[in-house]
Amino acid sequence: MAQREYKQLSCRDAGVGWDFLVGSEKEDEVVSLIIDHACRVHNICKITPGLEGKMHGSIKSIWCEEECHMHQELQ
């Protein structure tokens, strides 16, 4: 089976102390999911351009044999 590349980002990777992880095949969707999480769960709805840039710079590529299971809180 062919491998698929996914992008993943955790709040911790972006410099915030939350254990939340999201992933998608699209980098912009990963950032959008993290921003949505920050607003819904932590009431941080204004993201500075610097923080958004840090998010983009912290995204990691991972490879999965099948569909990766993302958008989860880590324990």
Side-chain angles (χ1 to χ4, degrees), residues 1-20:
M1 182 167 282
Q3 287 191 335
R4 296 174 68 179
E5 181 182 9
Y6 282 79
K7 307 295 184 182
Q8 82 175 22
L9 177 65
S10 72
C11 290
R12 241 176 246 292
D13 291 338
V16 185
W18 307 321
D19 288 330
F20 184 75

Side-chain angles (χ1 to χ4, degrees), residues 1-6 25 62-68:
M1 182 167 282
Q3 287 191 335
R4 296 174 68 179
E5 181 182 9
Y6 282 79
E25 292 181 7
I62 61 168
W63 295 89
C64 298
E65 291 293 332
E66 297 178 11
E67 183 176 337
C68 293

Side-chain angles (χ1 to χ4, degrees), residues 13-63:
D13 291 338
V16 185
W18 307 321
D19 288 330
F20 184 75
L21 173 72
V22 296
S24 173
E25 292 181 7
K26 299 176 184 173
E27 182 174 318
D28 288 340
E29 185 176 9
V30 169
V31 172
S32 178
L33 289 167
I34 286 285
I35 290 172
D36 179 64
H37 167 77
C39 188
R40 278 185 306 101
V41 176
H42 303 289
N43 201 31
I44 299 173
C45 299
K46 184 177 180 180
I47 304 298
T48 65
L51 179 56
E52 187 169 345
K54 187 172 186 174
M55 290 176 187
H56 279 280
S58 300
I59 291 175
K60 298 174 183 173
S61 291
I62 61 168
W63 295 89

